[in-house]
Amino acid sequence: MPSRAGAVARAADLFASGRFLADLTRRVAIKTESQSGQRGVELAAYLTDEMVPCLDRLGFTSTLVANPVLGRGPFLIAERIEDADLPTVLIYGHGDVVLGHEGRWRAGLEPWSVTVEGDRWYGRGTADNKGQHSVNIAALEAVLAERGGRLGFNAKILIEMGEEAGSPGLRALAEAQGARLAADVLIASDGPRLTAERPTVFLGSRGAMNIDLSVDLREGAHHSGNWGGLLANPGTILANAIASLVDGNGRILLDALRPPPIPPAVREAIADLKVGGGPNDPEIDRDWGEPGLTPEERVFGWNALEVLAYETGTPAAPVNAVPASAKATIQLRFVVGTDPVAAVDAIRAHFAANGFEKVQVRSSRMETFAATRLDPNDPWVGWTLASLAATTGKKPALLPNLGGSIPNDVFSEVLGLPTIWVPHSYPACSQHAPDEHLLGSVAEEALRIMAGLFWDLGETGPEILEARRA
């Protein structure tokens, strides 16, 4: 008789038999770098040659949609509708990866093949994001097999090919294809778990905005002996301007850049978390950032203002001259309740009022990611945590939002979906760097987790919809 345990066991067998590794190896071999702008053929091939045949076998109807942004990778929308009265889940993933960094990987490794060394599966995209959406698709297969060709719910899958380039066109796609992407809940996987050992759920992400600052005072540099003390130094001006925004301990000084108080439900969830302490994790500077907050509250419940780059003069070969200009890029990572546009305007006004009118402020060309967070008390949250606990026997970590940024606002704001993210990587996976890897043990557990979650969706999903309507 079909059962939850049977579905979970089938997912585990996909791992033990080598099927999952074979699928992932084939997908990693497709060089889907989206940042170079030179992989249009490969970006399309990942969908047409790999995703479409895979999803066809699972009974999905697939459609390729051209990116509204010229020259960017296409999208795949696939759907499997069993009954209009059943719950519908939207599953998201991205098949593009960052640059492969050939020649910079450790000896014996290279980005476009999977190399297994103990528990580590090396290869570009193993962790971000080919391995993660491959887990979710394989879990659907396990549930289909156990239920005799039925999921017990409707499923839609969206695969984009430009997330690593800032998801160009994703918002426009959602606005144009809202009816086709309509669902009751988003269940997706990206980013890391809190730790490798602890299953994790997050409900959104911090936003991110890069802000370029510049001071241009004159043409050319001038000898610091002849003119030092007579000419305004743009490097000094810019350093003091930044210091008026954030102090020497990382505390944000400008109120417009600070978030509202942490909501009680969010603070309660964060209290169960512990950041750091894993392999290759840097040591946390306990006295850095907002006083009175724990490290976990700072990264999951608060804003951070970071100096990403700073340049004046010729740092690689300093000369005895007062420089003519200085520039810096700062980044605001922000939680729900912060208006990034108002923040930029506030920085301009603050500089003008405090003697830094020579500092030019502009939003970077990098796309701004909005801050999102599903209410931790939403019925989908408790349902997901219970499912993960039932499969693993572990208490899952609940992150109100990821510390990093993803395009979750497209799903939560444009499509209006409750958003549940179940990541299948871990913090030390070398994501975006040489030697990226997925842990085999995490992948095996993730296959079982997602099979259990999708089985439960077919059993109790209608009850959750009723609870949300109540």
Side-chain angles (χ1 to χ4, degrees):
M1 182 175 178
S3 67
R4 186 184 199 277
V8 171
R10 287 179 185 272
D13 186 62
L14 288 172
F15 182 90
S17 68
R19 259 279 312 281
F20 177 75
L21 176 59
D23 289 345
L24 182 57
T25 299
R26 196 173 57 251
R27 291 164 189 169
V28 167
I30 306 174
K31 301 176 181 180
T32 54
E33 299 161 304
S34 61
Q35 297 170 321
S36 69
Q38 306 298 316
R39 297 290 193 184
V41 172
E42 290 88 347
L43 294 174
Y46 186 82
L47 300 180
T48 58
D49 299 353
E50 185 60 39
M51 290 290 102
V52 171
C54 170
L55 295 173
D56 280 351
R57 290 192 295 272
L58 301 185
F60 283 81
T61 300
S62 299
T63 304
L64 260 67
V65 182
N67 198 311
V69 178
L70 188 64
R72 296 296 187 172
F75 298 89
L76 174 67
I77 300 175
E79 60 181 4
R80 190 182 194 281
I81 306 300
E82 294 186 356
D83 188 322
D85 292 331
L86 293 175
T88 300
V89 60
L90 176 62
I91 301 167
Y92 162 83
H94 66 90
D96 67 308
V97 298
V98 298
L99 298 176
H101 296 145
E102 291 96 332
R104 294 171 53 189
W105 291 53
R106 180 172 55 75
L109 305 178
E110 68 96 14
W112 309 117
S113 63
V114 176
T115 302
V116 178
E117 292 185 356
D119 196 32
R120 295 189 173 193
W121 295 11
Y122 291 95
R124 178 61 83 219
T126 51
D128 186 20
N129 175 260
K130 293 177 179 178
Q132 301 215 38
H133 64 254
S134 292
V135 164
N136 295 348
I137 292 170
L140 290 174
E141 178 180 345
V143 172
L144 273 168
E146 182 66 13
R147 277 207 171 103
R150 292 184 62 257
L151 287 173
F153 55 90
N154 304 315
K156 299 180 180 181
I157 295 178
L158 171 63
I159 304 290
E160 74 159 313
M161 300 304 296
E163 194 270 353
E164 301 294 4
S167 293
L170 180 61
R171 175 175 286 269
L173 174 89
E175 291 170 344
Q177 303 286 340
R180 183 179 289 182
L181 295 172
D184 296 303
V185 63
L186 173 86
I187 297 178
S189 301
D190 203 354
R193 293 178 167 193
L194 183 66
T195 65
E197 297 78 19
R198 192 172 182 189
T200 299
V201 176
F202 65 88
L203 309 178
S205 68
R206 285 202 293 187
M209 168 176 272
N210 283 12
I211 303 165
D212 294 330
L213 307 177
S214 61
V215 182
D216 295 296
L217 298 185
R218 60 186 68 89
E219 289 294 328
H222 294 271
H223 193 280
S224 58
N226 298 332
W227 297 99
L230 302 178
L231 300 180
N233 189 309
T236 303
I237 293 171
L238 185 55
N240 281 274
I242 293 173
S244 74
L245 302 177
V246 57
D247 72 12
N249 290 313
R251 180 177 183 269
I252 296 174
L253 301 176
L254 183 61
D255 285 344
L257 306 184
R258 295 164 63 84
I262 302 174
V266 173
R267 192 181 291 274
E268 181 181 353
I270 293 174
D272 185 50
L273 308 177
K274 185 179 185 306
V275 175
N280 301 324
D281 285 350
E283 184 177 351
I284 292 173
D285 294 309
R286 297 277 167 180
D287 296 328
W288 186 262
E290 181 68 17
L293 298 184
T294 67
E296 293 74 22
E297 288 170 337
R298 290 171 188 159
V299 73
F300 298 125
W302 205 252
N303 292 356
L305 187 65
E306 304 291 350
V307 179
L308 301 185
Y310 189 104
E311 183 177 14
T312 189
T314 54
V319 296
N320 294 322
V322 178
S325 62
K327 61 182 180 180
T329 297
I330 61 176
Q331 183 183 72
L332 182 66
R333 291 274 182 177
F334 56 95
V335 296
V336 171
T338 305
D339 183 344
V341 175
V344 174
D345 291 339
I347 292 174
R348 291 194 183 100
H350 169 78
F351 285 167
N354 288 275
F356 300 117
E357 61 277 348
K358 293 178 180 179
V359 181
Q360 300 298 307
V361 181
R362 66 181 179 87
S363 299
S364 171
R365 288 174 294 178
M366 174 184 169
E367 185 168 342
T368 299
F369 288 103
T372 58
R373 180 195 291 144
L374 179 64
D375 184 347
N377 293 317
D378 189 283
W380 283 114
V381 178
W383 173 84
T384 304
L385 295 174
S387 177
L388 269 60
T391 300
T392 65
K394 303 174 183 178
K395 181 182 181 181
L398 174 61
L399 313 184
N401 47 258
L402 194 66
S405 302
I406 55 175
N408 190 57
D409 60 306
V410 170
F411 307 110
S412 64
E413 308 306 317
V414 178
L415 297 178
L417 301 180
T419 54
I420 300 291
W421 294 79
V422 185
H424 306 322
S425 184
Y426 81 117
C429 67
S430 297
Q431 173 187 1
H432 292 188
D435 303 348
E436 177 184 347
H437 59 276
L438 176 70
L439 293 183
S441 57
V442 171
E444 193 275 343
E445 185 176 65
L447 284 162
R448 293 186 288 109
I449 281 173
M450 298 309 292
L453 192 64
F454 289 142
W455 179 272
D456 292 342
L457 184 60
E459 295 290 314
T460 57
E463 298 173 16
I464 303 303
L465 294 183
E466 288 299 321
R468 293 191 88 245
R469 296 187 187 110

